[in-house]
Amino acid sequence: MAAKPGAATPTYSPKLVGRSRLPVFKDSDLDWSRPDGRGFHQCRPALLQTGAVSSASGSAYAEFGNTKVIVSVFGPRESKKAMTYSDVGRLNCNVSYTTFASPTLGQGTDHKEYSSMLHKALEGVIMMETFPKTTVDVFALVLESGGSDLSVVISCASLALADAGIMMYDLITAVSVSCIGKSLMIDPVIEEEGCEDGSFMMTCMPSRYEITQLTVTGEWTTPNINEAMQLCLDACSKLGEIMRDCLKQAASPSDE
Amino acid sequence: MVGLSVGEQHFVKGGIAQDLRTDGRKRLAYRPIYVETGVIPQANGSARVKIGGTDVIASVKAEIGRPSSLQPDKGKVAVFIDCSPTAEPTFGGRGGEELSSELALALQRCLLGGKSGAGAGINLSSLLIKEGKVCWDLYIDGLVISSDGNLLDALGAAIKAALTNTAIPKVNVSAEVADDEQPEIDISDEEYLQFDTSSVPVIVTLTKVGAHYIVDATAEEESQMSSAVSISVNRVGHICGLTKRGGSGLDPSVILDMISVAKHVTEALMSKLDSEISAAEACEDES
């Protein structure tokens, strides 16, 4: 990506809402900072790039801290013969990990459901009726797992779909929040995910202000849910702008 | 799959809009719930739950296993769901597999809590026998016998009832052994331990049809849904898990609204379920 020299890598931290969040440190006995020295409501710098794979119809590469993901989109192409006629298109998603993605060998079973979750996050936003009888394949490969993998995969996939020229209602952005003790931290890294009390992942369409997918695990109080949702919505809209800029940059003819 | 004519579709949607559904219920009313426990003698605990035309069985089996190296102080729980083609022809082959794994994932998310174990319905530490060496592995199996919508809520209720019904034999571990050896264990035939299931959350699915949302949707109503949000809430009113189904997006305020409605509905459902489970347990003891 041809970033302007001198300009810092774009990030998409949500603005701090209302009061400062000092009590986070006071009330709980967690007097630690985050492993990578970020603020609790600060996201990792996002690097996004389209056109990473030349043979695909569209592709994108995303790097959020240590999480590195590549997504290729193929199609729309003819559905397999065995499939019956369908007047709307089909979406086929697959998320896989490289063998060296995570420090521990033998990946957990956690990753199996990612494919279906990616599918669910995307199906609502793609205009399936624009490619009847055909299938679009979305293949995501996690090169390095550094936390918040699924949200990075989803955001990256929507960028790749846009790059492939698949019609969508809006871009999809995904952000996750971890709850540890009383504090909420956005865009958790893998160390934080390992000890979290609850996780919250949201995908939304920033321009339409609609949530397409939401998963919550762990124990959450209603105020916490509200706060996490606000944080995510704000971060999603900012991430959306970065993604839009990335697409515009790729589309505009380079000056050199 | 439910095939509804255009007229029937209008009837279902119109009824929901006017707060009078096709079976006479209001939007936030459940069908009668029927619970029976101890239906499978081979399992450590089991229950059958019927909600209207939906009929599910959950069984809990406990086996001695080894704790994983990552969490040596905890037992393991696995949830499997089987949607058999006997319930519905579309469950045959891959169709059932997809739904089964989706339901199992949602239940796992709702029952097992976060990575650190916060909000878990089952206290995994209570399944430990000897740290790093021996623990109980719980296998929770759900079977869908007949499906008329709202499978997730029914399975959640069945698992809660089955866990209440579960008796795990007391295990005595022989005294000191070397670190690299498995200790000898002695499984008691007489003494059993019961689970504390008061913290197991109940799951409420709110299905959005048109502009309104309903609880306990039948298969007909589910075929008309735009999206559904399943929320599991525990006794103290905390949210233990949330999953969304259906492709269409929802406004953030609608989701927050759904959460507060779910919490309200849960209170009634929880007490209803508690009384049904204790009645079923009492009934089983008598026989």
Side-chain angles (χ1 to χ4, degrees):
Chain A
M1 194 168 73
K4 275 179 231 119
T9 329
T11 184
Y12 60 105
S13 299
K15 61 176 182 294
L16 289 174
V17 255
R19 67 207 149 75
S20 66
R21 298 201 41 84
L22 273 174
V24 163
F25 296 96
K26 261 189 225 156
D27 290 349
S28 48
D29 52 349
L30 306 160
D31 54 341
W32 41 273
S33 55
R34 300 181 64 170
D36 47 3
R38 276 182 290 153
F40 280 27
H41 293 179
Q42 195 181 0
C43 299
R44 291 175 288 183
L47 171 76
L48 298 162
Q49 214 168 348
T50 53
V53 180
S54 54
S55 62
S57 324
S59 62
Y61 170 77
E63 188 177 319
F64 287 47
N66 281 334
T67 308
K68 300 183 178 78
V69 170
I70 192 160
V71 179
S72 323
V73 173
F74 296 93
R77 57 185 177 195
E78 192 186 352
S79 291
K80 286 201 187 77
K81 286 262 157 58
M83 291 186 165
T84 49
Y85 171 80
S86 151
D87 53 0
V88 292
R90 287 190 177 88
L91 180 66
N92 174 32
C93 297
N94 185 41
V95 180
S96 52
Y97 274 65
T98 56
T99 45
F100 45 82
S102 45
T104 47
L105 267 176
Q107 301 147 11
T109 49
D110 287 6
H111 306 148
K112 254 192 261 169
E113 79 259 14
Y114 281 12
S115 303
S116 72
M117 288 171 75
L118 176 62
H119 185 277
K120 276 190 228 161
L122 295 176
E123 68 180 348
V125 78
I126 299 174
M127 298 181 183
M128 299 279 202
E129 63 278 8
T130 56
F131 48 97
K133 297 191 277 182
T134 49
T135 306
V136 168
D137 293 305
V138 179
F139 297 124
L141 179 67
V142 179
L143 299 171
E144 194 179 331
S145 155
S148 313
D149 297 344
L150 185 61
S151 31
V152 178
V153 164
I154 292 171
S155 309
C156 190
S158 99
L159 206 60
L161 282 166
D163 186 46
I166 308 283
M167 300 260 264
M168 294 190 286
Y169 295 108
D170 194 358
L171 282 171
I172 281 272
T173 56
V175 172
S176 44
V177 167
S178 261
C179 166
I180 302 183
K182 281 184 179 156
S183 22
L184 295 180
M185 41 195 75
I186 198 161
D187 201 14
V189 295
I190 202 159
E191 292 90 349
E192 289 161 342
E193 281 186 334
C195 60
E196 68 192 1
D197 291 327
S199 76
F200 180 103
M201 203 229 15
M202 191 174 94
T203 71
C204 85
M205 299 191 245
S207 314
R208 284 165 64 111
Y209 201 64
E210 263 181 26
I211 295 174
T212 58
Q213 194 50 244
L214 178 66
T215 53
V216 179
T217 56
E219 195 167 10
W220 292 78
T221 55
T222 314
N224 264 353
I225 292 250
N226 284 341
E227 198 185 329
M229 198 176 270
Q230 281 311 320
L231 275 173
C232 280
L233 282 170
D234 207 25
C236 278
S237 67
K238 289 188 177 161
L239 179 59
E241 276 163 37
I242 294 177
M243 285 163 64
R244 218 162 290 255
D245 285 346
C246 168
L247 285 170
K248 274 184 202 156
Q249 214 160 26
S252 60
S254 61
D255 301 331
E256 287 104 319
Chain B
M1 245 354 242
V2 191
L4 288 185
S5 67
V6 179
E8 285 170 312
Q9 288 177 15
H10 278 297
F11 188 68
V12 168
K13 283 185 189 164
I16 288 167
Q18 292 175 29
D19 204 7
L20 181 67
R21 289 152 69 178
T22 45
D23 46 6
R25 281 183 291 156
K26 286 192 171 292
R27 281 198 288 264
L28 297 181
Y30 263 82
R31 289 172 284 183
I33 299 176
Y34 167 79
V35 180
E36 191 183 343
T37 55
V39 289
I40 301 170
Q42 289 97 328
N44 293 73
S46 59
R48 177 180 188 181
V49 168
K50 277 192 218 175
I51 303 181
T54 299
D55 195 345
V56 297
I57 286 185
S59 79
V60 179
K61 282 197 179 191
E63 259 174 36
I64 296 279
R66 270 186 92 117
S68 78
S69 54
L70 294 172
Q71 294 180 313
D73 56 342
K74 280 179 183 154
K76 292 176 291 202
V77 178
V79 183
F80 300 100
I81 303 299
D82 183 22
C83 295
S84 95
T86 52
E88 205 163 309
T90 48
F91 290 167
R94 292 296 301 274
E97 234 169 74
E98 211 169 276
L99 182 66
S100 304
S101 59
E102 192 182 324
L103 287 170
L105 181 64
L107 285 166
Q108 253 163 17
R109 217 177 263 144
C110 293
L111 297 173
L112 303 186
K115 290 247 170 64
S116 70
I122 305 160
N123 185 1
L124 293 182
S125 309
S126 70
L127 296 173
L128 189 76
I129 300 167
K130 185 149 176 67
E131 183 168 340
K133 297 277 176 61
V134 195
C135 69
W136 283 110
D137 289 351
L138 278 195
Y139 295 95
I140 301 177
D141 290 283
L143 172 68
V144 178
I145 302 173
S146 146
S147 149
D148 187 14
N150 208 19
L151 286 175
L152 193 62
D153 295 18
L155 284 165
I159 290 174
K160 189 177 163 77
L163 284 170
T164 315
N165 182 242
T166 301
I168 290 184
K170 199 171 157 57
V171 175
N172 296 312
V173 182
S174 63
E176 292 309 299
V177 282
D179 279 349
D180 50 345
E181 278 175 50
Q182 277 296 92
E184 274 184 36
I185 47 169
D186 172 36
I187 300 174
S188 156
D189 291 336
E190 283 126 33
E191 280 180 283
Y192 287 94
L193 297 173
Q194 288 275 328
F195 267 118
D196 174 28
T197 51
S198 57
S199 61
V200 177
V202 292
I203 304 171
V204 172
T205 303
L206 294 166
T207 310
K208 193 159 184 283
V209 180
H212 300 275
Y213 43 83
I214 52 173
V215 298
D216 192 21
T218 61
E220 280 179 4
E221 288 162 337
E222 271 181 2
S223 70
Q224 301 304 312
M225 76 171 194
S226 59
S227 56
V229 179
S230 299
I231 303 162
S232 81
V233 184
N234 67 7
R235 200 170 292 272
V236 287
H238 289 174
I239 287 112
C240 299
L242 191 153
T243 36
K244 185 180 166 297
R245 279 183 298 146
S248 73
L250 286 173
D251 195 82
S253 63
V254 174
I255 292 194
L256 293 177
D257 196 32
M258 280 176 158
I259 291 174
S260 66
V261 169
K263 280 171 80 169
H264 186 69
V265 172
T266 306
E267 283 171 26
L269 180 65
M270 183 86 88
S271 56
K272 167 87 180 131
L273 206 56
D274 281 343
S275 64
E276 281 288 332
I277 291 172
S278 53
E281 286 280 86
C283 185
E284 196 202 346
D285 288 343
E286 270 172 35
S287 56

